[in-house]
Amino acid sequence: MSSPDVSLAQAFIAARGVPCAPESLPPLQALLARVLGTARAAWPGVELDGARFVVHLARLLPAQAPSEDVEKFHLPDVYLARAAADQLPSALSAFEASFMPEVNAAVARLKLPPSGLDEVRQLLRQRMLVGSQDAPARLAAYPGTGPLSGWVRAAALWLALDWQRQRGGHPQADDGDLSLLVAPGDDPELVYLKNTYRAEFSASFTTALGTLEARQRNFLRMKYLDGLSIDQLGALYGVHRSTAARWVVAAQESLLQETRRLLTEKLRLTGSQLDSVLRLISSQLDVNLSRLLRSKVE
């Protein structure tokens, strides 16, 4: 008598990195076979490997969530997003037909010229479906907690606004300006330091950012500009969330340490003043990184 097939369950458990009693494998296999069937039924002709799909679900699932929570995902959308990110031709065709019209709907009120709309569509295809050596196809990070159509619309709108900004449609202050970090209740010395040394900070920050590896800059951009969670970054790069978290922390620490080093070289301050500047960077860089990166990351 042959043993029951529990290959989906085994792949899922291995991806989550949590122990599972042997007697739990058959019911988990049944659950995963059911969600796989639900996802595949929505996209006839898109044949993503079942183990690949359940491993992806495991990486999207929060660390403490029960396995049964996979049924809370928008399963057909997650299935298509994973298949398209893997460059399956049938999935790419399905995504183009079903979701690219969302670009027009998202940016209609911005009244982009035809050339601008075409460029936004091409940028969306590049980022969603192709990616680069340092930033994989963004569809791989779709979290599955909301409809994929809304996620695509949000990405299209962000790209359209960025297109307008780069062409002078919405002039903005330099996001690297340290004076933007001034907050109500700051003591007078801190306000003085923020405003007096904003140029030095901006230059040091820009230089420090340029010393990071391309992948590190992408980690910071995806987390602080695109708003991806650690779980989504892990799914995007195909690693456990703890690995993704270490990568982000390492990138941020490298940026912070190099900015500190450069500021220490440039600024002629008293010991207490330098300590105040460094405390300012340490305490507020994480909070303000999205604004600082927006104008500095290529």
Side-chain angles (χ1 to χ4, degrees):
M1 184 175 178
S2 60
S3 302
D5 178 17
V6 290
S7 57
L8 293 179
Q10 289 172 331
F12 183 85
I13 290 299
R16 295 206 76 189
V18 295
C20 180
E23 61 270 19
S24 299
L25 291 177
L28 179 58
Q29 175 77 17
L31 167 69
L32 295 173
R34 184 168 65 251
V35 301
L36 176 61
T38 298
R40 279 182 172 164
W43 304 105
V46 178
E47 293 294 331
L48 177 65
D49 178 71
R52 175 69 165 160
F53 178 56
V54 300
V55 165
H56 185 60
L57 289 177
R59 289 171 175 158
L60 290 177
L61 201 62
Q64 304 304 318
S67 298
E68 292 76 13
D69 278 6
V70 294
E71 294 189 288
K72 296 179 179 180
F73 289 127
H74 287 250
L75 294 168
D77 286 353
V78 173
Y79 182 87
L80 183 69
R82 180 68 268 174
D86 286 351
Q87 300 293 298
L88 270 65
S90 56
L92 295 174
S93 297
F95 180 84
E96 182 75 25
S98 299
F99 294 99
M100 286 307 293
E102 299 292 341
V103 178
N104 296 29
V107 305
R109 69 178 185 272
L110 298 179
K111 295 180 169 48
L112 296 185
S115 61
L117 181 58
D118 287 344
E119 188 170 343
V120 168
R121 290 171 66 88
Q122 285 302 111
L123 284 170
L124 187 73
R125 288 188 183 97
Q126 173 67 30
R127 296 192 182 186
M128 288 284 180
L129 301 172
V130 182
S132 65
Q133 181 179 356
D134 297 302
R138 207 62 64 86
L139 273 182
Y142 163 60
T145 53
L148 180 57
S149 58
W151 203 71
V152 171
R153 282 197 302 271
L157 182 59
W158 191 92
L159 288 170
L161 290 170
D162 195 51
W163 186 92
Q164 279 192 332
R165 181 183 64 81
Q166 290 183 20
R167 284 150 186 81
H170 293 81
Q172 296 180 2
D174 179 5
D175 287 335
D177 192 335
L178 188 59
S179 64
L180 290 176
L181 304 182
V182 173
D186 280 345
D187 64 77
E189 183 186 32
L190 199 54
V191 172
Y192 170 79
L193 290 172
K194 287 179 179 180
N195 285 283
T196 302
Y197 298 107
R198 61 184 182 271
E200 286 83 355
F201 175 83
S202 180
S204 297
F205 180 87
T206 302
T207 301
L209 193 60
T211 66
L212 297 181
E213 298 175 357
R215 177 172 287 191
Q216 288 182 309
R217 290 196 297 273
N218 273 303
F219 292 155
L220 296 178
R221 177 167 190 143
M222 286 186 280
K223 179 169 174 56
Y224 292 101
L225 288 188
D226 297 343
L228 299 190
S229 68
I230 293 299
D231 289 309
Q232 291 164 4
L233 283 170
L236 181 63
Y237 283 90
V239 298
H240 193 271
R241 68 185 313 276
S242 61
T243 300
R246 286 197 301 272
W247 286 351
V248 170
V249 169
Q252 185 169 321
E253 287 183 348
S254 294
L255 176 61
L256 181 60
Q257 290 170 4
E258 183 62 11
T259 303
R260 281 175 167 173
R261 187 187 69 78
L262 292 168
L263 278 175
T264 301
E265 289 181 354
K266 289 182 178 182
L267 302 183
R268 296 184 179 278
L269 302 173
T270 65
S272 63
Q273 287 175 326
L274 181 57
D275 287 344
S276 294
V277 172
L278 298 183
R279 281 198 305 271
L280 165 67
I281 297 169
S282 299
S283 65
Q284 297 196 17
L285 184 59
D286 181 81
V287 175
N288 294 279
L289 200 52
S290 63
R291 287 185 296 175
L292 294 166
L293 279 169
R294 187 171 298 280
S295 65
K296 301 305 179 188
V297 176
E298 295 180 353

